Amino acid sequence: MIPGIFLHGGGDRQDQRAATFGRFLRAALAPEERPLALIVAEEEPDQAEGSFQAYRTIFESLHPGVDVRPIFAGIEKPVALQALAAMLPGGVFVCGGSTPFYHRAVCADRGWLAYLREHHIPYGGTSAGAAIAAESAILGGWRSLSGREMLFVGAGEGLEQLTVQPGLGLVPFSVEVHASQMGTLTRLIHAVESGLVESGWAIDENTLLQVAGPEIRVWGAGQAYHVSRDPARKVELEMRVSDD
């Protein structure tokens, strides 16, 4: 069993780090301090190293001296259970970037999730790392299934049509990120209305959705929007703000 899933909507306001990234870090370091594994998936090695350093800086600012280690993943280099086990991490955090690329690199072989379940390791992810945690992962797209525009092209993740693929399956709902900032709440509404996904949460930047079994809590500066359908297939929307 994974004790907690921490889904971050992207962005990095320093005044919100403790409320968002910090909640995952505290779970990862309890009851004893062990390394924190950062999974990074970028097409170019220098981009991967830059991404790792950026996220390591975030966690070190919250807990100086924390042992942060990278696991670099790619299309031909999936996350290996053996590499993860050798690290003995207290938590695994999947970084942000291109959601389609992260999906291909991290979700192709899900065998490494067995280690998290067996050793009760919390999972955290931001942006792409949050989106792919879903059972049905929304990878991108700026046109609906009907071909109509539903948000601006720059939020399409390089994909034209709304695209959903099997994700890591850590949460039963779909996840959108950068919700208010990039307008991706609209894409989630289309995904639910069309029946591509059953339900989902769209998370703002600098906002965290914490999932522990059936309990869902919201932390940080923004909103999280829950989209679902009622028995008559009418789309319903609920907005949540921080539980603080």
Side-chain angles (χ1 to χ4, degrees), residues 9-97:
D12 176 30
R13 266 178 49 185
Q14 291 192 25
D15 67 325
Q16 293 298 314
R17 284 180 178 177
T20 56
F21 292 104
R23 290 188 182 276
F24 163 75
L25 185 59
R26 289 192 291 274
L29 298 180
E32 60 178 320
E33 290 196 20
R34 289 186 286 165
L36 175 63
L38 296 190
I39 295 177
V40 183
E42 298 283 357
E43 295 193 50
E44 300 297 331
D46 58 338
Q47 293 176 331
E49 181 62 30
S51 184
F52 167 65
Q53 295 297 342
Y55 286 103
R56 181 169 73 172
T57 297
I58 291 173
F59 288 112
E60 287 180 339
S61 74
L62 292 166
H63 189 88
V66 63
D67 184 3
V68 184
R69 303 182 189 180
I71 294 178
F72 295 113
I75 304 302
E76 299 179 356
K77 187 182 178 183
V79 179
L81 187 151
Q82 294 83 354
L84 188 63
M87 196 178 290
L88 298 175
V92 172
F93 189 89
V94 181
C95 300

Coordinates of all heavy atoms in Angstrom, one line a residue, residues 9-97:
G9 N 0.2 20.9 -8.8 CA -0.3 21.4 -10.0 C 0.7 22.2 -10.9 O 0.3 22.7 -11.9
G10 N 1.9 22.3 -10.4 CA 3.0 23.0 -11.1 C 3.3 24.3 -10.5 O 2.6 24.8 -9.6
G11 N 4.3 25.0 -11.1 CA 4.7 26.3 -10.5 C 5.6 26.1 -9.3 O 5.7 25.0 -8.8
D12 N 6.2 27.2 -8.9 CA 7.1 27.2 -7.7 C 7.2 28.6 -7.1 O 8.1 29.3 -7.2 CB 8.5 26.7 -8.1 CG 9.4 26.7 -6.9 OD1 9.0 26.6 -5.8 OD2 10.6 27.0 -7.2
R13 N 6.1 28.9 -6.4 CA 6.2 30.1 -5.5 C 6.9 29.8 -4.2 O 6.4 28.8 -3.5 CB 4.8 30.7 -5.2 CG 4.3 31.7 -6.2 CD 2.9 32.2 -5.9 NE 2.7 32.5 -4.5 CZ 1.4 32.9 -4.0 NH1 0.4 32.9 -4.9 NH2 1.3 33.2 -2.8
Q14 N 7.9 30.5 -3.9 CA 8.7 30.1 -2.7 C 7.9 30.1 -1.5 O 8.1 29.3 -0.6 CB 10.0 31.0 -2.6 CG 11.0 30.7 -3.7 CD 12.3 31.4 -3.4 OE1 12.7 31.6 -2.3 NE2 13.1 31.6 -4.5
D15 N 7.0 31.1 -1.4 CA 6.2 31.2 -0.2 C 5.2 30.0 0.0 O 4.5 29.9 1.0 CB 5.5 32.5 -0.1 CG 4.4 32.7 -1.2 OD1 4.6 32.2 -2.3 OD2 3.3 33.3 -0.9
Q16 N 5.0 29.2 -1.1 CA 4.1 28.1 -1.0 C 4.8 26.7 -1.0 O 4.1 25.7 -0.9 CB 3.1 28.1 -2.2 CG 2.2 29.3 -2.3 CD 1.3 29.3 -1.0 OE1 0.7 28.3 -0.7 NE2 1.1 30.5 -0.4
R17 N 6.1 26.7 -1.0 CA 6.8 25.5 -1.0 C 6.5 24.6 0.2 O 6.3 23.4 0.1 CB 8.3 25.7 -1.1 CG 8.8 26.1 -2.4 CD 10.3 26.4 -2.4 NE 10.8 26.8 -3.7 CZ 12.1 27.1 -3.9 NH1 13.0 27.1 -2.9 NH2 12.5 27.4 -5.2
A18 N 6.5 25.2 1.4 CA 6.3 24.4 2.6 C 4.9 23.8 2.6 O 4.7 22.6 3.0 CB 6.4 25.3 3.8
A19 N 3.9 24.5 2.1 CA 2.5 24.0 2.1 C 2.3 22.9 1.0 O 1.3 22.2 1.1 CB 1.5 25.2 1.8
T20 N 3.1 22.9 0.0 CA 2.9 21.9 -1.1 C 4.0 20.9 -1.2 O 3.8 19.8 -0.7 CB 2.8 22.7 -2.4 OG1 3.9 23.6 -2.6 CG2 1.5 23.6 -2.4
F21 N 5.1 21.3 -1.8 CA 6.3 20.3 -1.8 C 6.6 19.8 -0.4 O 7.0 18.6 -0.2 CB 7.5 21.0 -2.4 CG 7.4 21.3 -3.9 CD1 7.2 22.6 -4.3 CD2 7.5 20.3 -4.9 CE1 7.0 23.0 -5.6 CE2 7.4 20.7 -6.2 CZ 7.1 22.0 -6.6
G22 N 6.5 20.7 0.6 CA 6.9 20.3 1.9 C 6.1 19.2 2.5 O 6.6 18.4 3.3
R23 N 4.8 19.1 2.2 CA 3.9 18.1 2.7 C 4.4 16.7 2.2 O 4.4 15.7 3.0 CB 2.5 18.3 2.4 CG 1.9 19.5 3.1 CD 0.4 19.7 2.9 NE 0.0 20.8 3.7 CZ -0.3 20.9 5.0 NH1 -0.2 19.8 5.7 NH2 -0.7 22.0 5.5
F24 N 4.7 16.6 0.9 CA 5.3 15.4 0.5 C 6.6 15.1 1.1 O 6.9 13.9 1.5 CB 5.5 15.5 -1.1 CG 6.4 14.4 -1.6 CD1 6.0 13.1 -1.7 CD2 7.7 14.7 -1.9 CE1 6.8 12.1 -2.1 CE2 8.6 13.7 -2.3 CZ 8.1 12.4 -2.5
L25 N 7.5 16.1 1.3 CA 8.8 15.8 1.8 C 8.7 15.3 3.3 O 9.4 14.4 3.7 CB 9.6 17.1 1.8 CG 11.1 17.0 2.3 CD1 11.8 16.0 1.4 CD2 11.8 18.4 2.2
R26 N 7.8 15.9 4.1 CA 7.7 15.4 5.4 C 7.2 14.0 5.5 O 7.7 13.2 6.3 CB 6.7 16.3 6.2 CG 7.2 17.7 6.5 CD 6.4 18.5 7.5 NE 5.1 18.9 6.9 CZ 4.9 20.0 6.2 NH1 5.9 20.8 5.9 NH2 3.7 20.3 5.7
A27 N 6.3 13.6 4.6 CA 5.9 12.2 4.5 C 7.0 11.3 4.1 O 7.2 10.2 4.6 CB 4.7 12.1 3.6
A28 N 7.9 11.8 3.2 CA 9.0 11.0 2.7 C 10.1 10.8 3.7 O 10.8 9.7 3.8 CB 9.6 11.6 1.4
L29 N 10.2 11.7 4.7 CA 11.3 11.7 5.7 C 10.9 11.0 7.0 O 11.7 10.9 7.9 CB 11.9 13.1 5.9 CG 12.5 13.8 4.7 CD1 13.0 15.1 5.1 CD2 13.6 12.9 4.1
A30 N 9.6 10.6 7.1 CA 9.1 10.0 8.3 C 8.9 8.5 8.1 O 8.5 8.1 7.0 CB 7.7 10.7 8.7
P31 N 9.2 7.7 9.1 CA 9.7 8.1 10.4 C 11.2 8.2 10.5 O 11.7 8.6 11.6 CB 9.2 6.9 11.3 CG 9.4 5.7 10.3 CD 9.0 6.3 8.9
E32 N 11.9 7.9 9.4 CA 13.4 8.1 9.4 C 13.8 8.8 8.1 O 13.2 8.6 7.1 CB 14.1 6.8 9.6 CG 13.8 5.8 8.5 CD 14.6 4.5 8.7 OE1 15.8 4.6 9.1 OE2 14.0 3.4 8.5
E33 N 14.9 9.5 8.2 CA 15.4 10.2 7.0 C 16.1 9.2 6.1 O 17.1 8.5 6.5 CB 16.3 11.3 7.3 CG 15.6 12.5 7.9 CD 16.4 13.8 7.9 OE1 17.4 13.8 7.1 OE2 16.1 14.7 8.7
R34 N 15.6 9.0 4.9 CA 16.2 8.2 3.8 C 16.3 9.1 2.5 O 15.7 10.1 2.5 CB 15.4 6.9 3.6 CG 15.5 6.0 4.8 CD 14.8 4.6 4.4 NE 13.4 4.8 4.5 CZ 12.5 3.9 3.9 NH1 13.0 2.8 3.3 NH2 11.2 4.1 4.0
P35 N 17.0 8.6 1.5 CA 17.1 9.4 0.3 C 15.8 9.7 -0.3 O 14.8 8.9 -0.2 CB 18.0 8.5 -0.6 CG 18.8 7.7 0.3 CD 17.9 7.4 1.5
L36 N 15.7 10.8 -1.0 CA 14.6 11.1 -1.8 C 14.9 10.9 -3.3 O 15.9 11.5 -3.8 CB 14.2 12.6 -1.6 CG 13.0 13.2 -2.4 CD1 11.7 12.4 -2.1 CD2 12.9 14.7 -2.2
A37 N 14.2 10.1 -4.0 CA 14.4 9.8 -5.4 C 13.6 10.7 -6.3 O 12.4 10.8 -6.1 CB 14.1 8.3 -5.7
L38 N 14.3 11.4 -7.2 CA 13.6 12.2 -8.1 C 13.7 11.6 -9.5 O 14.8 11.3 -10.0 CB 14.3 13.6 -8.2 CG 14.3 14.5 -7.0 CD1 14.7 15.9 -7.4 CD2 12.9 14.6 -6.4
I39 N 12.5 11.3 -10.1 CA 12.5 10.7 -11.4 C 12.4 11.9 -12.4 O 11.5 12.7 -12.4 CB 11.3 9.7 -11.6 CG1 11.5 8.5 -10.7 CG2 11.2 9.3 -13.0 CD1 10.4 7.5 -10.7
V40 N 13.4 11.9 -13.3 CA 13.4 13.0 -14.3 C 13.4 12.4 -15.7 O 14.2 11.4 -16.0 CB 14.7 13.8 -14.1 CG1 14.8 15.0 -15.1 CG2 14.8 14.3 -12.7
A41 N 12.6 12.9 -16.6 CA 12.5 12.4 -18.0 C 12.6 13.6 -18.9 O 11.6 14.3 -19.1 CB 11.2 11.6 -18.2
E42 N 13.7 13.7 -19.6 CA 13.9 14.7 -20.6 C 14.6 14.1 -21.8 O 15.3 13.1 -21.6 CB 14.7 15.9 -20.0 CG 14.1 16.6 -18.9 CD 13.1 17.6 -19.2 OE1 12.8 17.8 -20.5 OE2 12.5 18.2 -18.3
E43 N 14.4 14.7 -22.9 CA 14.9 14.1 -24.2 C 16.4 14.3 -24.2 O 17.2 13.5 -24.8 CB 14.3 14.7 -25.4 CG 12.8 14.3 -25.5 CD 12.2 14.6 -26.9 OE1 12.8 14.2 -27.9 OE2 11.1 15.3 -26.9
E44 N 16.9 15.4 -23.7 CA 18.4 15.7 -23.8 C 19.0 15.6 -22.4 O 18.4 16.1 -21.4 CB 18.6 17.2 -24.3 CG 18.0 17.4 -25.7 CD 18.7 16.5 -26.7 OE1 19.9 16.1 -26.5 OE2 18.1 16.1 -27.8
P45 N 20.2 15.1 -22.3 CA 20.9 14.9 -21.0 C 21.0 16.2 -20.2 O 20.9 16.3 -19.0 CB 22.2 14.3 -21.3 CG 22.0 13.6 -22.6 CD 21.0 14.4 -23.3
D46 N 21.4 17.3 -20.9 CA 21.6 18.6 -20.2 C 20.3 19.1 -19.7 O 20.3 19.7 -18.6 CB 22.3 19.6 -21.1 CG 21.5 19.9 -22.4 OD1 20.7 19.1 -22.8 OD2 21.7 21.0 -23.0
Q47 N 19.2 18.9 -20.4 CA 17.9 19.3 -19.9 C 17.5 18.5 -18.6 O 17.0 19.0 -17.7 CB 16.8 19.1 -20.9 CG 17.0 20.0 -22.1 CD 15.9 19.7 -23.2 OE1 15.5 18.6 -23.4 NE2 15.6 20.8 -24.0
A48 N 17.8 17.2 -18.7 CA 17.5 16.3 -17.5 C 18.3 16.8 -16.3 O 17.8 16.8 -15.2 CB 17.9 14.9 -17.9
E49 N 19.6 17.1 -16.5 CA 20.4 17.5 -15.3 C 19.9 18.8 -14.8 O 19.8 19.0 -13.6 CB 21.9 17.6 -15.8 CG 22.8 18.1 -14.7 CD 22.9 17.1 -13.5 OE1 22.7 15.9 -13.7 OE2 23.2 17.6 -12.4
G50 N 19.5 19.8 -15.7 CA 19.0 21.0 -15.2 C 17.7 20.9 -14.5 O 17.5 21.6 -13.5
S51 N 16.9 20.0 -14.9 CA 15.6 19.8 -14.2 C 15.8 19.2 -12.9 O 15.2 19.6 -11.9 CB 14.7 18.8 -15.1 OG 13.4 18.7 -14.5
F52 N 16.8 18.2 -12.8 CA 17.1 17.6 -11.5 C 17.6 18.6 -10.5 O 17.2 18.7 -9.4 CB 18.1 16.5 -11.7 CG 18.7 16.0 -10.4 CD1 18.0 15.4 -9.4 CD2 20.1 16.3 -10.1 CE1 18.5 15.0 -8.2 CE2 20.6 15.9 -8.9 CZ 19.9 15.3 -7.9
Q53 N 18.5 19.5 -11.0 CA 19.1 20.5 -10.1 C 18.0 21.5 -9.6 O 18.0 21.9 -8.4 CB 20.2 21.2 -10.8 CG 21.4 20.4 -11.1 CD 22.1 19.8 -9.9 OE1 22.0 20.3 -8.8 NE2 22.9 18.8 -10.1
A54 N 17.1 21.8 -10.5 CA 16.0 22.8 -10.1 C 15.2 22.2 -9.0 O 14.8 22.9 -8.0 CB 15.2 23.1 -11.3
Y55 N 14.8 20.9 -9.1 CA 13.9 20.3 -8.1 C 14.7 20.0 -6.9 O 14.1 20.1 -5.7 CB 13.2 19.1 -8.7 CG 12.1 19.5 -9.6 CD1 12.2 19.4 -11.0 CD2 10.9 20.0 -9.1 CE1 11.2 19.8 -11.9 CE2 9.8 20.4 -10.0 CZ 10.0 20.3 -11.4 OH 9.0 20.7 -12.2
R56 N 15.9 19.6 -7.0 CA 16.7 19.4 -5.8 C 16.8 20.7 -5.0 O 16.8 20.6 -3.7 CB 18.1 18.9 -6.2 CG 19.0 18.6 -4.9 CD 20.3 17.9 -5.3 NE 21.2 18.7 -5.9 CZ 22.5 18.4 -6.2 NH1 22.9 17.1 -5.9 NH2 23.3 19.2 -6.8
T57 N 17.0 21.8 -5.6 CA 17.1 23.1 -4.9 C 15.8 23.3 -4.1 O 15.9 23.8 -3.0 CB 17.3 24.2 -5.9 OG1 18.6 24.0 -6.6 CG2 17.3 25.6 -5.2
I58 N 14.6 23.0 -4.7 CA 13.4 23.2 -4.0 C 13.4 22.4 -2.7 O 13.1 22.9 -1.6 CB 12.2 22.7 -4.9 CG1 12.0 23.7 -6.0 CG2 10.9 22.7 -4.0 CD1 11.0 23.3 -7.0
F59 N 13.7 21.1 -2.8 CA 13.7 20.2 -1.6 C 14.8 20.6 -0.6 O 14.5 20.5 0.7 CB 13.7 18.8 -2.0 CG 12.5 18.3 -2.6 CD1 12.5 17.9 -4.0 CD2 11.3 18.2 -1.9 CE1 11.3 17.5 -4.6 CE2 10.1 17.8 -2.5 CZ 10.1 17.5 -3.9
E60 N 15.9 21.0 -1.1 CA 17.0 21.4 -0.1 C 16.6 22.7 0.6 O 17.0 22.9 1.7 CB 18.3 21.6 -0.9 CG 18.9 20.2 -1.3 CD 20.2 20.4 -2.1 OE1 20.5 21.5 -2.6 OE2 21.0 19.5 -2.1
S61 N 15.9 23.6 -0.1 CA 15.5 24.8 0.6 C 14.5 24.5 1.8 O 14.4 25.3 2.7 CB 14.8 25.7 -0.4 OG 13.5 25.3 -0.8
L62 N 13.8 23.4 1.7 CA 12.8 23.0 2.7 C 13.5 22.2 3.8 O 13.0 22.3 5.0 CB 11.7 22.2 2.1 CG 10.8 23.0 1.1 CD1 9.9 22.0 0.3 CD2 9.9 24.0 1.9
H63 N 14.5 21.5 3.5 CA 15.2 20.6 4.5 C 16.7 20.6 4.1 O 17.1 19.6 3.4 CB 14.5 19.2 4.5 CG 15.0 18.4 5.6 ND1 14.4 18.4 6.9 CD2 16.0 17.5 5.7 CE1 15.0 17.5 7.7 NE2 16.0 17.0 7.0
P64 N 17.5 21.5 4.5 CA 18.9 21.5 4.2 C 19.6 20.2 4.6 O 19.3 19.7 5.7 CB 19.5 22.7 5.0 CG 18.3 23.6 5.2 CD 17.1 22.7 5.3
G65 N 20.3 19.7 3.7 CA 21.0 18.4 3.9 C 20.3 17.2 3.5 O 20.8 16.1 3.6
V66 N 19.1 17.4 3.0 CA 18.3 16.2 2.5 C 19.1 15.5 1.4 O 19.6 16.2 0.5 CB 16.9 16.6 2.1 CG1 16.9 17.6 0.9 CG2 16.0 15.4 1.8
D67 N 19.1 14.2 1.4 CA 19.8 13.4 0.3 C 18.9 13.2 -0.9 O 18.0 12.3 -0.8 CB 20.2 12.1 1.0 CG 21.1 11.3 0.0 OD1 21.4 11.7 -1.1 OD2 21.4 10.1 0.4
V68 N 19.1 14.0 -1.9 CA 18.2 14.0 -3.1 C 19.0 13.3 -4.2 O 20.1 13.8 -4.6 CB 17.8 15.4 -3.5 CG1 16.8 15.3 -4.7 CG2 17.1 16.1 -2.4
R69 N 18.4 12.2 -4.8 CA 19.2 11.5 -5.8 C 18.3 11.3 -7.1 O 17.1 11.2 -7.0 CB 19.6 10.1 -5.3 CG 20.4 10.1 -4.0 CD 20.8 8.7 -3.6 NE 21.4 8.7 -2.3 CZ 21.8 7.6 -1.7 NH1 21.7 6.5 -2.3 NH2 22.3 7.7 -0.5
P70 N 18.9 11.4 -8.3 CA 18.2 11.3 -9.5 C 18.0 9.9 -10.0 O 18.9 9.1 -9.8 CB 19.0 12.2 -10.5 CG 20.4 11.9 -10.0 CD 20.4 11.8 -8.5
I71 N 16.9 9.7 -10.7 CA 16.7 8.5 -11.6 C 16.3 9.1 -12.9 O 15.2 9.6 -13.1 CB 15.6 7.6 -11.0 CG1 16.1 6.9 -9.7 CG2 15.3 6.5 -12.0 CD1 15.1 6.0 -9.1
F72 N 17.2 9.0 -13.9 CA 17.0 9.6 -15.2 C 16.3 8.5 -16.1 O 16.8 7.4 -16.2 CB 18.3 10.1 -15.8 CG 18.9 11.2 -15.1 CD1 20.1 11.1 -14.5 CD2 18.3 12.5 -15.1 CE1 20.7 12.1 -13.8 CE2 18.8 13.5 -14.4 CZ 20.1 13.4 -13.8
A73 N 15.1 8.9 -16.6 CA 14.4 7.9 -17.4 C 14.2 8.5 -18.8 O 14.3 9.7 -19.1 CB 13.0 7.7 -16.8
G74 N 14.0 7.5 -19.8 CA 13.8 7.9 -21.2 C 13.0 6.8 -21.9 O 12.6 5.8 -21.3
I75 N 12.8 7.1 -23.2 CA 12.0 6.2 -23.9 C 12.6 4.8 -24.0 O 11.9 3.7 -23.8 CB 11.8 6.7 -25.4 CG1 11.2 8.1 -25.4 CG2 10.9 5.7 -26.2 CD1 9.9 8.2 -24.7
E76 N 13.9 4.7 -24.1 CA 14.6 3.5 -24.1 C 15.3 3.1 -22.8 O 16.1 2.2 -22.7 CB 15.7 3.5 -25.2 CG 15.1 3.6 -26.6 CD 16.1 3.7 -27.7 OE1 17.4 3.6 -27.4 OE2 15.8 3.7 -28.9
K77 N 14.9 3.9 -21.7 CA 15.5 3.7 -20.4 C 14.4 3.8 -19.4 O 14.3 4.9 -18.7 CB 16.6 4.7 -20.2 CG 17.4 4.4 -18.9 CD 18.5 5.5 -18.7 CE 19.2 5.3 -17.3 NZ 20.2 6.4 -17.1
P78 N 13.5 2.9 -19.2 CA 12.4 3.0 -18.3 C 13.0 2.9 -16.8 O 14.1 2.5 -16.6 CB 11.6 1.7 -18.6 CG 12.5 0.8 -19.2 CD 13.5 1.6 -20.0
V79 N 12.1 3.4 -15.9 CA 12.5 3.3 -14.5 C 12.6 1.8 -14.1 O 11.7 1.0 -14.3 CB 11.4 4.0 -13.6 CG1 11.8 3.9 -12.2 CG2 11.2 5.4 -14.1
A80 N 13.8 1.5 -13.5 CA 14.1 0.1 -13.1 C 13.8 -0.1 -11.7 O 14.3 0.7 -10.8 CB 15.5 -0.2 -13.5
L81 N 13.1 -1.1 -11.4 CA 12.8 -1.5 -10.0 C 14.1 -1.7 -9.2 O 14.2 -1.3 -8.0 CB 11.9 -2.7 -9.9 CG 11.4 -3.1 -8.5 CD1 10.0 -3.8 -8.6 CD2 12.3 -4.0 -7.7
Q82 N 15.1 -2.3 -9.8 CA 16.3 -2.6 -9.2 C 17.1 -1.4 -8.8 O 17.6 -1.3 -7.7 CB 17.2 -3.5 -10.1 CG 16.7 -4.9 -10.3 CD 15.7 -4.9 -11.5 OE1 15.3 -3.9 -12.0 NE2 15.3 -6.1 -11.9
A83 N 17.1 -0.4 -9.7 CA 17.8 0.9 -9.4 C 17.1 1.6 -8.2 O 17.7 2.2 -7.4 CB 17.8 1.8 -10.6
L84 N 15.8 1.6 -8.2 CA 15.0 2.2 -7.1 C 15.3 1.5 -5.8 O 15.5 2.1 -4.8 CB 13.5 2.2 -7.5 CG 12.6 3.0 -6.5 CD1 12.9 4.4 -6.6 CD2 11.1 2.7 -6.9
A85 N 15.2 0.2 -5.8 CA 15.5 -0.6 -4.6 C 16.9 -0.4 -4.0 O 17.1 -0.3 -2.8 CB 15.2 -2.1 -4.9
A86 N 17.8 -0.2 -4.9 CA 19.2 0.0 -4.5 C 19.4 1.3 -3.7 O 20.3 1.5 -2.9 CB 20.2 -0.1 -5.6
M87 N 18.5 2.2 -4.1 CA 18.6 3.6 -3.5 C 18.0 3.6 -2.1 O 18.3 4.5 -1.3 CB 17.9 4.6 -4.4 CG 18.2 6.0 -4.1 SD 17.3 7.1 -5.3 CE 18.2 6.7 -6.8
L88 N 17.1 2.7 -1.8 CA 16.4 2.6 -0.5 C 15.7 4.0 -0.2 O 15.9 4.6 0.9 CB 17.3 2.2 0.7 CG 17.9 0.8 0.6 CD1 18.9 0.6 1.7 CD2 16.8 -0.2 0.6
P89 N 14.9 4.5 -1.0 CA 14.3 5.9 -0.8 C 13.2 5.9 0.2 O 12.5 4.9 0.4 CB 13.8 6.2 -2.2 CG 13.3 4.9 -2.8 CD 14.4 3.9 -2.3
G90 N 13.0 7.0 0.8 CA 11.9 7.3 1.7 C 10.7 7.8 0.9 O 9.6 7.8 1.4
G91 N 10.9 8.3 -0.3 CA 9.9 8.9 -1.1 C 10.3 8.9 -2.6 O 11.5 9.0 -2.8
V92 N 9.4 8.9 -3.5 CA 9.7 9.0 -4.9 C 8.9 10.2 -5.4 O 7.6 10.2 -5.3 CB 9.3 7.7 -5.7 CG1 9.5 7.9 -7.2 CG2 10.2 6.6 -5.2
F93 N 9.5 11.1 -6.1 CA 8.9 12.3 -6.7 C 9.2 12.3 -8.2 O 10.3 12.3 -8.6 CB 9.4 13.5 -6.0 CG 8.7 14.8 -6.3 CD1 7.6 15.2 -5.6 CD2 9.1 15.6 -7.4 CE1 6.9 16.3 -5.9 CE2 8.4 16.7 -7.7 CZ 7.3 17.1 -7.0
V94 N 8.1 12.4 -9.0 CA 8.3 12.5 -10.4 C 8.1 14.0 -10.8 O 7.1 14.6 -10.6 CB 7.2 11.7 -11.1 CG1 7.4 11.7 -12.6 CG2 7.3 10.2 -10.7
C95 N 9.1 14.5 -11.5 CA 9.2 15.9 -11.9 C 8.3 16.3 -13.0 O 7.6 15.4 -13.6 CB 10.7 16.2 -12.2 SG 11.8 15.9 -10.7
G96 N 8.4 17.5 -13.4 CA 7.6 18.1 -14.5 C 8.3 18.2 -15.8 O 9.5 18.4 -15.8
G97 N 7.6 18.3 -16.9 CA 8.1 18.5 -18.2 C 7.0 18.2 -19.2 O 5.8 18.4 -19.0

